Amino acid sequence: RKQMMENAALHFKRAAEIWPEFMNATYDYGRTNEQLGNWKEAVNAYRKTYEIDTSFSDAIFRMGVVYESTNNLDSAIISYKYVTSTNPLNIIAFNN
């Protein structure tokens, strides 16, 4: 499974290189790296995802999850507060 995810990450990264504004590839690159425990790559991909589409607050939410996973609680709180301010119905972000 890990090898398949590493392979997928390479393909998502390449897709984002070919089409830098392809939000889905950038987001999926972040999700795959998050699952692999590549925290820095995940956060960078989520940040880029949000730069591409500022209405996609899930990228900021996932950053919060990564920050929380790495015990960077101040950054996690900032991320979750931002998500709940833009989408008050996001119960998971509110609970986190």
Side-chain angles (χ1 to χ4, degrees), residues 2-3 5-10 13 26-46 62-63 65-67 69-70:
K2 182 179 177 187
Q3 185 175 6
M5 288 190 333
E6 289 171 346
N7 192 32
L10 292 173
K13 182 178 181 180
T26 305
Y27 181 71
D28 290 338
Y29 180 66
R31 288 290 306 243
T32 304
N33 276 294
E34 180 183 344
Q35 291 174 356
L36 289 168
N38 299 331
W39 309 121
K40 184 178 179 181
E41 292 86 354
V43 167
N44 289 338
Y46 292 143
R62 296 307 317 167
M63 284 175 63
V65 170
V66 170
Y67 287 137
S69 297
T70 58

Side-chain angles (χ1 to χ4, degrees), residues 4 9-10 12 16 19-20 22 24 27 39-40 47 50 54 56 61 64 67 70-71 79 81 83-84 94:
M4 287 175 38
L10 292 173
F12 290 133
W19 185 9
F22 185 27
N24 295 45
Y27 181 71
W39 309 121
K40 184 178 179 181
R47 187 172 288 119
Y50 188 72
T54 57
F56 189 65
F61 172 75
Y67 287 137
T70 58
N71 208 28
S79 298
K81 281 186 176 181
V83 172
T84 57
F94 181 79

